[in-house]
């Protein structure tokens, strides 16, 4: 097989195919991360998912992945300031990841400077999730090596821009830009690379794989859903999150109540409120995504569901996408 063309991402991450399996709380389990990396892409570890959801002590989880593949993996650090305790825990996770040989970090929210300092000292790189130029400017000032451009079709927390204009907006920063959002099939992946993206980060497509430990009902909902079934709700985490519209959501609505909305905006209460929402969302998403027997309320997915029609092993996805380049 002819190797996939090199990009700044493949060089930075030491991988063959410019395709990242994005961190997913609660869907990133070690077997999924390892399968993507082993096929030549980059699996990214989500530490809260690894520990709280899948029950591995962080270092042990990384070693489990290492037993499954010798190839590079990345780590996601959600660095939003919620509490001192959370920051200390994230710092410890980043340090453990470095000790265990991880050299690629994807940071989201917050100021990535402290992760950049640690990663660079060890010869690693940091790519930061951004949704528009003002966040990219902050990330560049913090010294990141690349940007992950989260567009409006993404799963997780989508941004406001479309795929092509977002690349135009971020190109002037002179950093490699990875496309995140709405890519579910090989032609769309190849088109994003042709457009000038240094790689693609996919989430939703990798949930519909045998390696992902999400429930069968959730995977089937992804296969069944069309683009118009994806809606945004702020009721899970306090900020808009892309989910499949379930009968529960149709019944109860997509928006938080007026009092919570007010508290989420006030400078004095917003960090506390975000912290509370975050804690509740961790529990809720774990329950709804993995437990087969639950009534299903919140299933995260992006608009790429439109192109996802079959379960497929994660490694086959990476190899099939690579052939499209
Ligand atoms: C179920 C789910 C959970 C996610 N959790 C995280 C997360 O914990 N941290 C993060 O940085 N991004 C998270 N994301 C975003 C993905 O890493 C990725 O950027 C996004 O899924 C790309 O869009 P796509 O789903 O259309 O492929 C999540 C996405 C999904 C679908």
């Amino acid at each position: 097989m002819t190797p996939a063309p090199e990009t700044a991402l493949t060089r930075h991450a030491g991988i063959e195919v410019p395709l990242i399996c994005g961190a997913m709380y609660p869907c990133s389990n070690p077997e999924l991360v390892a399968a993507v990396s082993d096929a030549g892409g980059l699996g990214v570890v989500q530490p809260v998912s690894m520990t709280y959801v899948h029950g591995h002590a962080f270092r042990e989880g990384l070693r489990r992945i290492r037993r499954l593949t010798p190839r590079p993996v990345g780590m996601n650090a959600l660095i939003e300031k919620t509490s001192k305790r959370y920051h200390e825990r994230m710092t410890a996770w980043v340090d453990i990841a470095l000790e265990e040989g991880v050299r690629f970090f994807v940071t989201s929210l917050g100021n990535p400077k402290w992760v950049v300092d640690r990663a660079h000292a060890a010869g690693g790189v940091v790519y930061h999730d951004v949704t528009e130029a003002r966040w990219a400017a902050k990330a560049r000032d913090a010294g990141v090596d690349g940007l992950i451009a989260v567009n409006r079709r993404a799963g997780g927390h989508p941004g406001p821009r479309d795929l092509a204009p977002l690349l135009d907006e971020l190109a002037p920063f002179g950093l490699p830009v990875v496309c995140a959002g709405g890519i579910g099939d090989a032609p769309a992946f190849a088109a994003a690379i042709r457009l000038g993206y240094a790689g693609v980060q996919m989430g939703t497509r990798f949930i519909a794989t045998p390696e992902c430990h999400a429930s069968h009902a959730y995977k089937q909902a992804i296969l069944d859903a069309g683009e118009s079934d994806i809606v945004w709700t702020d009721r899970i985490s306090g900020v808009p999150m892309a989910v499949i519209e379930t009968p529960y959501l149709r019944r109860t609505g997509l928006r938080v109540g007026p009092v919570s909305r007010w508290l989420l905006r006030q400078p004095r209460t917003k960090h506390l409120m975000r912290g509370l929402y975050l804690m509740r969302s961790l529990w809720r998403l774990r329950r709804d995504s993995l437990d087969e027997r639950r009534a299903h309320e919140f299933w995260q997915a992006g608009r790429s569901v439109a192109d996802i029609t079959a379960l497929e092993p994660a490694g086959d996805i990476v190899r099939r996408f690579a052939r499209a380049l």
Side-chain angles (χ1 to χ4, degrees), residues 104-150:
F104 192 96
F105 294 84
V106 176
T107 49
S108 324
L109 311 168
N111 185 337
K113 172 110 177 53
W114 67 267
V115 184
V116 170
D117 290 345
R118 280 175 152 76
H120 284 180
V125 294
V126 178
Y127 278 42
H128 190 64
D129 277 344
V130 299
T131 50
E132 50 189 292
R134 62 183 166 138
W135 307 124
K138 290 196 170 179
R140 181 216 34 217
D141 295 348
V144 301
D145 307 279
L147 302 170
I148 306 223
V150 181

Side-chain angles (χ1 to χ4, degrees), residues 22-25 46 76 108 129 154-156 181-182 201-204 300 304:
M24 288 184 284
Y25 179 90
Q46 212 289 359
N76 176 226
S108 324
D129 277 344
Q201 171 165 288
M202 294 197 305
T204 307
Q300 298 180 79
S304 59

